[in-house]
């Protein structure tokens, strides 16, 4: 294996100070290879979002090392695209303009912005919604635009925090399918947070189970299910087995709080 | 719904039960037709007007306390014809425009600043909060000492009455911008200045507009207050002068006029807001 895309080494993080100080992440070690799709799962409050936003550069950490392609992460930047759980399309811009907003920030000229934005709306299968405002889009469509926006400026990595968490089951399936397709075609490095184990197994190369009190990595599972994956794979014995094991691991991980 | 009050509704009942429930339009938050809303609103106005007309027509009150609607209308017509009303209107509208504009132009950047940066909030918010609780009325003598009975004194009172409230409300509008919007700006590598101008301000703008609309309503009150005590023209001034000559009809006419002006500005601001921010119907 060549050098990792993302390297997290002995990372610690706590909130507050003095008596109110609480340790949220303890000794996190995690490498993501180039083009690898890794999911973070674990019980609520174990620090998944915190870890993701640290990688995004939106939050500081206490100690440890964090680098992308060998250079340390100091602040947020265009090398990491982020898709938030909440809908973060700017309501006064159309779908197309929302994507162009990001491209403009990345320094592209007007014509290029327009071309890339339209290409990416095609990619997420929304070619006819370019001129619609977020209030005119469904939740799934909004997240598709958000994904298009995060992909449009070609970040080295995609960071996603429960991007499909607010969607209904059917829409969520469609989004998962779309994301696997995009991932299989474009080969991205993805760090993905989810509560949905089935989703994690379906999408990932590797699943990282985090435990609570303080948050740390308890186990990792390699997902040896061959690609391309289509929905039928969810019925297979291997898929179901893995899903069961991950569930069990999450339960165990959250049953052991306050142990060093 | 688990709590059907003692309802042993058989399956065949439920359809009619639902239809009945649908017809009822008095529950909390139950919608009513726009036409119905209008009819009720107009009926209340008409009812009050009728009561006024009846009370004066039947000589239940002396005209010096409450003149008849006709007398008020004639008086307003007369003042319009001889140009007094127009002069008063011009003076007042000029004062409220300038005073309100100065307050708003200063309040917006300061509100945005203290809504975004904790250091600025620490420096300014407690101070503004303190001043806000000083009664505006108590500043009137001071404002006369400082600025006499000039227009500047009116600007000052309008400013004191609206600016400090505006700052705090705009700060609130800005704080309500979703944290992830700012996060988005940062992940795009935008500097703080651009995050403020391209994300925070546009995002807070519908709220800020509402703040302006509400504070413009108050500005009318402060304007009239300033004109009542120290002026040689304007709507408030005319009301004071009329009191001296027992012209109750002018007073009531002007008070009604002020109400109508307030209502009109409010409606215009609302309509403008709807046009300006029609995409922001957050749902
Ligand atoms: N700004 C903050 N200040 C103090 N504590 C915080 C802050 N943000 C998060 N925490 C704490 O850190 C812990 C981890 O939070 P985090 O949001 O990362 O969990 P999570 O794994 O994403 O949970 P969920 O699955 O519910 O989203 C929680 O106990 C939370 O209370
Ligand atoms: Mg979370």
């Amino acid at each position: 294996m060549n050098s990792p895309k993302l390297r997290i080494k002995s990372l610690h993080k706590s909130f507050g100070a003095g008596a109110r100080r609480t340790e949220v992440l303890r000794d996190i070690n995690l490498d993501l290879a180039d083009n690898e799709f890794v999911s973070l799962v674990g019980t609520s409050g174990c620090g998944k979002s915190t870890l993701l936003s640290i990688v995004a550069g939106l939050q500081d950490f206490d100690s440890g090392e964090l680098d992308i392609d060998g250079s340390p992460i100091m602040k947020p930047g265009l090398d990491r695209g982020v898709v938030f759980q909440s809908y973060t399309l700017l309501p006064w811009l159309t779908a197309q303009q929302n994507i162009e907003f990001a491209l403009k920030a990345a320094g592209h000229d007007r014509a290029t912005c327009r071309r890339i934005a339209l290409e990416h709306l095609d990619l997420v299968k929304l070619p006819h919604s370019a001129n619609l405002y977020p209030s005119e889009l469904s939740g799934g469509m909004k997240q598709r635009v958000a994904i298009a926006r995060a992909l449009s400026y070609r970040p080295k990595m995609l960071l996603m925090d429960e991007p499909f968490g607010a969607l209904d089951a059917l829409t969520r399936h469609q989004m998962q399918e779309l994301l696997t397709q995009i991932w299989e075609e474009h080969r991205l490095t993805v760090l993905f947070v989810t509560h949905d184990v089935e989703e994690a197994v379906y999408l990932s190369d590797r699943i990282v189970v985090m435990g609570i009190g303080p948050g740390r990595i308890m186990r990792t599972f390699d997902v040896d299910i061959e690609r391309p994956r289509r929905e039928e794979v969810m019925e297979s014995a291997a898929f179901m087995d893995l899903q069961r094991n991950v569930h069990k691991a999450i339960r165990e991980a959250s049953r052991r709080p306050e142990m060093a | 719904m688990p709590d059907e009050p003692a309802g042993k509704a058989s399956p065949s009942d439920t359809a009619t039960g639902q239809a009945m429930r649908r017809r009822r339009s008095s529950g909390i938050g139950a919608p009513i037709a726009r036409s119905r809303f209008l009819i009720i609103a107009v009926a209340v106005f008409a009812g009050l007007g009728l009561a006024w007309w009846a009370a004066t027509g039947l000589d239940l009150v002396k005209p010096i306390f409450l003149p008849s609607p006709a007398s008020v209308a004639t008086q307003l017509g007369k003042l319009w014809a001889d140009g007094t009303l127009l002069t008063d209107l011009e003076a007042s509208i000029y004062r409220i425009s300038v005073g309100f504009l100065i307050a708003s132009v200063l309040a917006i950047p300061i509100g945005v600043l203290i809504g975004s940066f904790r250091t600025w909030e620490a420096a300014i918010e407690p101070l503004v909060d303190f001043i806000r609780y000083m009664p505006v009325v108590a500043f009137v003598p001071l404002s006369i000492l400082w600025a006499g009975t000039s227009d500047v004194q009116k600007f000052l009172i309008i400013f004191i009455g609206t600016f400090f409230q505006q700052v705090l409300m705009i700060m609130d509008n800005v704080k309500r911008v979703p944290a992830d919007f700012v996060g988005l700006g940062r992940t795009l590598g935008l500097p703080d200045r651009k995050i403020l101008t391209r994300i925070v301000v546009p995002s807070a703008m519908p709220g800020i507009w509402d703040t302006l609309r509400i504070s413009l309503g108050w500005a009318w009150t402060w304007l009239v207050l300033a004109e009542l005590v120290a002026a040689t023209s304007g709507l408030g001034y005319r009301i004071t002068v009329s009191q001296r000559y027992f012209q109750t009809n002018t007073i009531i006419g002007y008070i009604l006029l002020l109400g109508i002006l307030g209502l009109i500005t409010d409606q215009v601001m609302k309509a403008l807001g709807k046009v300006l921010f029609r995409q922001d119907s957050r749902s």
Side-chain angles (χ1 to χ4, degrees):
Chain A
M1 250 292 175
N2 39 18
S3 66
K5 193 81 188 169
L6 176 75
R7 200 170 62 99
I8 305 172
K9 193 154 177 281
S10 335
L11 186 112
H12 291 255
K13 164 77 181 173
S14 49
F15 283 111
R20 295 244 215 99
R21 182 182 160 98
T22 45
E23 194 178 11
V24 174
L25 294 174
R26 177 183 293 178
D27 194 27
I28 303 290
N29 291 286
L30 179 65
D31 285 359
L32 262 69
D34 203 8
N35 302 333
E36 196 179 19
F37 196 121
V38 174
S39 287
L40 288 177
V41 295
T43 185
S44 189
C46 68
K48 304 180 296 291
S49 298
T50 306
L51 180 57
L52 198 86
S53 67
I54 288 174
V55 175
L58 294 172
Q59 286 196 40
D60 291 332
F61 50 97
D62 301 344
S63 64
E65 285 169 46
L66 181 61
D67 43 48
I68 189 162
D69 277 340
S71 46
I73 290 174
M74 309 296 280
K75 53 178 191 178
L78 288 159
D79 53 347
R80 282 147 291 149
V82 182
V83 179
F84 299 85
Q85 175 177 4
S86 63
Y87 303 129
T88 51
L89 297 189
L90 304 176
W92 60 95
L93 300 177
T94 63
Q96 183 186 337
Q97 288 166 342
N98 261 286
I99 302 176
E100 288 174 347
F101 184 88
L103 289 162
K104 212 158 84 189
H108 292 289
D109 65 61
R110 224 171 218 285
T112 318
C113 284
R114 192 185 137 74
R115 181 178 53 77
I116 300 180
L118 291 175
E119 272 170 24
H120 281 78
L121 280 171
D122 264 351
L123 181 73
V124 295
K125 309 208 159 56
L126 286 175
H128 306 299
S129 305
N131 296 318
L132 296 186
Y133 286 89
S135 57
E136 302 165 310
L137 299 173
S138 71
M141 290 158 93
K142 280 186 236 192
Q143 280 310 59
R144 276 192 267 171
V145 177
I147 292 172
R149 179 176 61 192
L151 288 172
S152 67
Y153 49 89
R154 291 277 169 269
K156 293 175 179 170
M157 287 195 67
L158 205 53
L159 307 171
M160 306 174 99
D161 190 354
E162 298 189 48
F164 311 144
L167 305 177
D168 65 88
L170 187 67
T171 316
R172 196 157 63 214
H173 272 302
Q174 290 167 353
M175 298 292 289
Q176 289 160 4
E177 200 121 335
L178 180 75
L179 186 60
T180 22
Q181 272 174 34
I182 293 175
W183 184 85
E184 278 160 8
E185 277 168 38
H186 293 254
R187 291 274 134 183
L188 299 152
T189 310
V190 183
L191 186 58
F192 190 92
V193 170
T194 180
H195 267 126
D196 182 341
V197 175
E198 188 185 56
E199 175 172 274
V201 177
Y202 182 60
L203 294 172
S204 319
D205 296 316
R206 199 146 51 97
I207 297 172
V208 175
V209 178
M210 288 180 65
I212 197 166
R216 63 226 134 119
I217 293 175
M218 307 298 285
R219 284 192 64 176
T220 58
F221 292 87
D222 288 319
V223 184
D224 293 319
I225 297 170
E226 75 181 73
R227 298 186 185 263
R229 294 177 193 161
R230 291 295 168 258
E231 214 172 333
E232 302 77 62
V233 79
M234 293 188 186
E235 319 273 285
S236 72
F239 191 98
M240 308 266 246
D241 270 351
L242 185 55
Q243 201 180 327
R244 227 182 345 262
N245 289 338
V246 174
H247 264 301
K248 217 167 98 200
I250 294 175
R251 266 201 307 277
E252 277 167 15
S254 48
R255 208 187 295 139
R256 290 186 278 176
E258 307 310 331
M259 256 179 45
Chain B
M1 292 294 161
D3 50 351
E4 197 68 46
K8 303 181 287 277
S10 70
S12 61
D13 282 355
T14 45
T16 53
Q18 270 175 3
M20 270 165 67
R21 224 169 299 144
R22 214 178 300 135
R23 227 174 289 136
R24 205 183 61 194
S25 62
S26 56
I28 294 171
I32 60 171
R34 204 177 152 68
S35 55
R36 194 188 164 91
F37 190 99
L38 261 166
I39 289 169
I40 295 174
V42 170
V44 169
F45 272 91
L48 283 173
L50 212 66
W52 176 19
W53 178 74
T56 51
L58 299 173
D59 279 333
L60 295 179
V61 285
K62 281 193 187 154
I64 187 138
F65 295 130
L66 187 67
S68 69
S71 150
V72 170
T74 334
Q75 180 67 6
L76 279 184
K78 217 170 78 192
L79 291 171
W80 176 260
D82 70 12
T84 315
L85 181 50
L86 190 64
T87 323
D88 289 343
L89 267 177
E90 278 171 358
S92 291
I93 289 177
Y94 165 68
R95 289 167 187 158
I96 197 173
S97 306
V98 175
F100 182 74
L101 210 69
I102 296 174
S104 307
V105 162
L106 289 173
I108 292 174
I110 293 175
V112 169
L113 202 66
I114 66 176
S116 307
F117 299 103
R118 281 313 181 103
T119 316
W120 286 105
E121 185 184 346
I124 293 175
E125 197 266 347
L127 178 70
V128 169
D129 221 5
F130 174 52
I131 300 175
R132 179 171 75 118
Y133 279 105
M134 303 176 181
V136 181
V137 196
F139 279 98
V140 171
L142 198 60
S143 71
I144 296 175
L145 274 177
W146 285 344
T149 60
S150 66
D151 280 349
V152 176
Q153 184 258 347
K154 316 294 174 299
F155 303 156
L156 202 62
I157 288 298
I158 294 172
F159 181 85
I160 295 171
T162 50
F163 171 78
F164 299 99
Q165 311 277 350
Q166 283 180 332
V167 166
L168 294 178
M169 288 165 75
I170 291 170
M171 175 185 81
D172 236 38
N173 297 142
V174 167
K175 286 197 167 180
R176 221 157 281 180
V177 172
D180 282 346
F181 280 16
V182 177
L184 167 74
R186 297 184 60 205
T187 62
L188 294 176
L190 294 173
D192 277 357
R193 186 175 46 80
K194 283 193 177 168
I195 292 178
L196 275 189
T197 56
R198 302 228 185 123
I199 295 179
V200 174
V201 172
S203 177
M205 215 52 220
I208 293 177
W209 186 261
D210 248 11
T211 295
L212 294 183
R213 181 175 63 82
I214 293 164
S215 55
L216 182 53
W218 303 333
W220 279 107
T221 309
W222 304 130
L223 166 76
V224 174
L225 172 78
E227 290 181 343
L228 281 178
V229 276
T232 52
S233 63
L235 296 167
Y237 164 75
R238 191 68 52 207
I239 289 175
T240 329
V241 172
S242 305
Q243 181 211 344
R244 237 175 275 155
Y245 300 107
F246 298 105
Q247 289 174 340
T248 324
N249 48 9
T250 309
I251 298 181
I252 293 191
Y254 270 47
I255 291 175
L256 289 176
L257 191 66
L258 281 162
I260 292 169
L261 282 175
L263 197 67
I264 291 175
T265 45
D266 199 70
Q267 291 299 320
V268 168
M269 289 287 280
K270 251 191 200 156
L272 264 175
K274 263 198 193 130
V275 175
L276 288 173
F277 310 113
R278 65 183 167 279
Q279 303 313 335
D280 287 66
S281 53
R282 290 154 209 274
S283 49

